[in-house]
């Protein structure tokens, strides 16, 4: 059991490293939305321009995070379906590993998003890890995905509000 957990954690860390290396979103979002020197000199000195720019940058990061997380959820569902076709007893390890890898991708893409989206994505990540653990415990596991579905709806609401 502990050996399996270590393997899953290793796979999850590897997936996180791979995902984080592919998309340097916080750096590019900050540089792309920072005002140019000409725009800075034309802005009024009341301090509202920098607050507006900061809010716009945060909103852009949140919108991108929402799109990336939704894509991660869809991609993970397809990979889970493929892994489930392997069947027990070996297939449950593939399903468990995919739930863990999917949760890491969700977590990686939520970095920099607003608080509501980050909280909702953490709930999704927690539910994915719970499903990973359930599949890891039993080759015949058929855990309920109701809590995950509720967390996804919460993410949708948080993304709609931003």
């Amino acid at each position: 059991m502990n050996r399996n957990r270590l393997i899953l954690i290793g796979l999850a860390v590897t997936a996180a490293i791979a995902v984080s290396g592919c998309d340097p979103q916080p750096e590019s979002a900050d540089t792309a939305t920072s005002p140019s020197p000409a725009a800075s000199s034309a802005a009024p000195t009341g301090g509202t321009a920098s607050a507006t720019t900061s809010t716009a940058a945060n909103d852009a990061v949140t919108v991108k995070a929402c799109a990336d997380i939704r894509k991660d959820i869809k991609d993970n569902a397809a990979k889970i379906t493929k892994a489930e076709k392997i069947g027990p007893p070996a297939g449950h390890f593939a399903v468990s590993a995919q739930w863990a890898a999917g949760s890491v991708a969700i977590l990686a893409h939520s970095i920099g998003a607003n608080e509501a989206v980050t909280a909702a994505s953490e709930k999704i990540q927690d539910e994915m890890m719970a499903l990973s653990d359930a599949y890891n415990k039993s080759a015949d596991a058929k855990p309920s995905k109701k809590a995950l579905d509720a967390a996804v709806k919460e993410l949708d609401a948080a993304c709609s509000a931003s």
Side-chain angles (χ1 to χ4, degrees), residues 84-159:
E84 285 175 335
K85 289 180 182 177
I86 296 169
H92 75 283
F93 289 120
V95 174
S96 178
Q98 186 54 51
W99 279 119
S103 73
V104 171
I106 300 281
L107 195 60
H109 283 125
S110 69
I111 296 172
N114 69 24
E115 290 180 32
V117 171
T118 300
S121 65
E122 286 176 0
K123 286 182 181 177
I124 292 171
Q125 190 266 342
D126 289 343
E127 293 305 324
M128 286 180 158
M129 285 306 297
L131 288 167
S132 174
D133 290 344
Y135 275 98
N136 194 34
K137 289 178 184 173
S138 170
D140 298 319
K142 297 289 183 202
S144 172
K145 296 176 185 140
K146 287 181 182 180
L148 177 62
D149 293 340
V152 170
K153 286 180 183 177
E154 188 174 321
L155 174 75
D156 289 340
C159 288

Side-chain angles (χ1 to χ4, degrees), residues 9-145:
I9 291 171
L11 289 172
V13 169
T14 303
I17 291 169
V19 169
S20 67
C22 294
D23 188 13
Q25 87 186 29
E27 292 176 42
S28 64
D30 289 340
T31 57
T33 58
S34 62
S36 65
S40 296
S41 62
T45 58
T48 57
S50 64
T52 304
T53 302
S54 176
T55 302
N58 289 340
D59 289 344
V61 171
T62 298
V63 169
K64 183 171 181 355
C66 286
D68 290 346
I69 292 168
R70 286 177 175 147
K71 184 180 180 300
D72 290 338
I73 292 168
K74 191 176 198 178
D75 291 347
N76 193 60
K79 291 175 183 175
I80 291 292
T81 301
K82 186 176 178 181
E84 285 175 335
K85 289 180 182 177
I86 296 169
H92 75 283
F93 289 120
V95 174
S96 178
Q98 186 54 51
W99 279 119
S103 73
V104 171
I106 300 281
L107 195 60
H109 283 125
S110 69
I111 296 172
N114 69 24
E115 290 180 32
V117 171
T118 300
S121 65
E122 286 176 0
K123 286 182 181 177
I124 292 171
Q125 190 266 342
D126 289 343
E127 293 305 324
M128 286 180 158
M129 285 306 297
L131 288 167
S132 174
D133 290 344
Y135 275 98
N136 194 34
K137 289 178 184 173
S138 170
D140 298 319
K142 297 289 183 202
S144 172
K145 296 176 185 140

